[in-house]
Amino acid sequence: MNILSVRALLVRGMLAGLAAGVAALLVAHFLGEPRVDAAIALEEHAAGAHHDHGGGEEELVSRTMQATGGLATGVLVFGVAVGGVAAIAFCVALGRIGRHGPRATAAFVALGGLIALHVVPFLKYPANPPAVGDGDTIGRRTALFFLLVLLSVLLAVGAVILGRRLAPRLGNGDAAVTAGAAFLLAVTLAYVFLPSYNEVGPDFPGQLLWQFRLAALAVQATLWTVFGLVFGVLAERLLAPAAPPRPAATAAA
């Protein structure tokens, strides 16, 4: 693949990421923001006595701005960044993970990105709404989350390499199952050795907590699904354009 093709795929990946960001923004607005508002209301109610005595702090950014412009900027920028990185991963994966076309390769990259970058870290350190979590441990929890993201990506890459090396001896199907099992085993060991945090207070509604976490998962699933679909189409049009129509047969003299 030449540099012009990589550049063209990078641009298309960022455009697909932008489209995916728009879809994820809609999910975040309609599913996530109502849960955030409910959690903030609980937090404000619990701290009512503190605010009554004049101890409240002035907001640097209003809640309205956070839920509109701030949310849109964050999700769309993240979508474009994800699209660019995933497009590079697509260039590396194309033709190296089996004889798959651009659409199938884009789908595999999107699925791998969702699992490695979100699902694996989410199952160990799930997202928490406002009013949940200890401020004294936020730095450590953030560092552990990104450590698990990095570890998950490295393990996913290792699983792909393992699958490729086992394919000539075991066949593609058995090699994929073996590599997947090795990935799950390594992730399980990481879950065991990394510390866990359970900072949900007894008074916080469990239903609201899981609704917030499912909404966060839905945002990421929407982002990666839309990216895989849109980028697959764009990449296929670039790399495998439709054959030109055959010229009409010339009438015999």
Side-chain angles (χ1 to χ4, degrees):
M1 186 176 296
N2 57 49
I3 188 64
L4 294 179
S5 296
V6 173
R7 185 180 303 173
L9 286 170
L10 178 61
V11 172
R12 284 161 175 76
M14 296 173 70
L15 291 175
L18 179 61
V22 172
L25 176 61
L26 294 175
V27 176
H29 177 73
F30 289 107
L31 291 184
E33 285 304 309
R35 277 73 190 181
V36 173
D37 290 335
I40 290 176
L42 290 173
E43 186 179 31
E44 292 177 347
H45 178 73
H50 176 71
H51 290 296
D52 290 342
H53 288 86
E57 297 181 358
E58 183 180 355
E59 290 183 339
L60 297 178
V61 180
S62 67
R63 172 61 188 146
T64 301
M65 178 58 67
Q66 293 174 9
T68 54
L71 177 65
T73 300
V75 174
L76 294 180
V77 170
F78 179 74
V80 172
V82 163
V85 173
I88 299 299
F90 171 88
C91 294
V92 176
L94 186 63
R96 293 183 173 89
I97 57 173
R99 296 181 178 180
H100 303 293
R103 287 197 186 191
T105 303
F108 284 128
V109 169
L111 179 60
L114 174 63
I115 293 174
L117 294 176
H118 188 73
V119 173
V120 170
F122 176 87
L123 294 177
K124 179 67 176 180
Y125 302 116
N128 286 328
V132 173
D134 185 358
D136 295 334
T137 63
I138 187 171
R140 183 179 301 176
R141 286 185 284 115
T142 302
L144 287 171
F145 177 83
F146 284 108
L147 174 62
L148 187 53
V149 170
L150 177 60
L151 182 61
S152 176
V153 171
L154 293 176
L155 291 175
V157 172
V160 172
I161 295 174
L162 177 62
R164 287 189 60 199
R165 292 187 176 181
L166 293 177
R169 288 184 293 173
L170 302 181
N172 291 334
D174 290 341
V177 171
T178 303
F183 175 78
L184 291 177
L185 177 60
V187 168
T188 301
L189 292 175
Y191 283 0
V192 171
F193 286 104
L194 288 175
S196 300
Y197 291 90
N198 184 14
E199 299 176 343
V200 181
D203 297 330
F204 194 87
Q207 183 179 9
L208 177 59
L209 176 65
W210 281 107
Q211 286 178 344
F212 176 86
R213 290 177 174 176
L214 290 177
L217 185 61
V219 170
Q220 291 292 330
T222 300
L223 179 75
W224 286 100
T225 300
V226 174
F227 169 79
L229 294 174
V230 175
F231 182 69
V233 173
L234 296 178
E236 186 176 59
R237 290 181 178 178
L238 175 68
L239 300 176
R246 295 181 179 180
T250 306

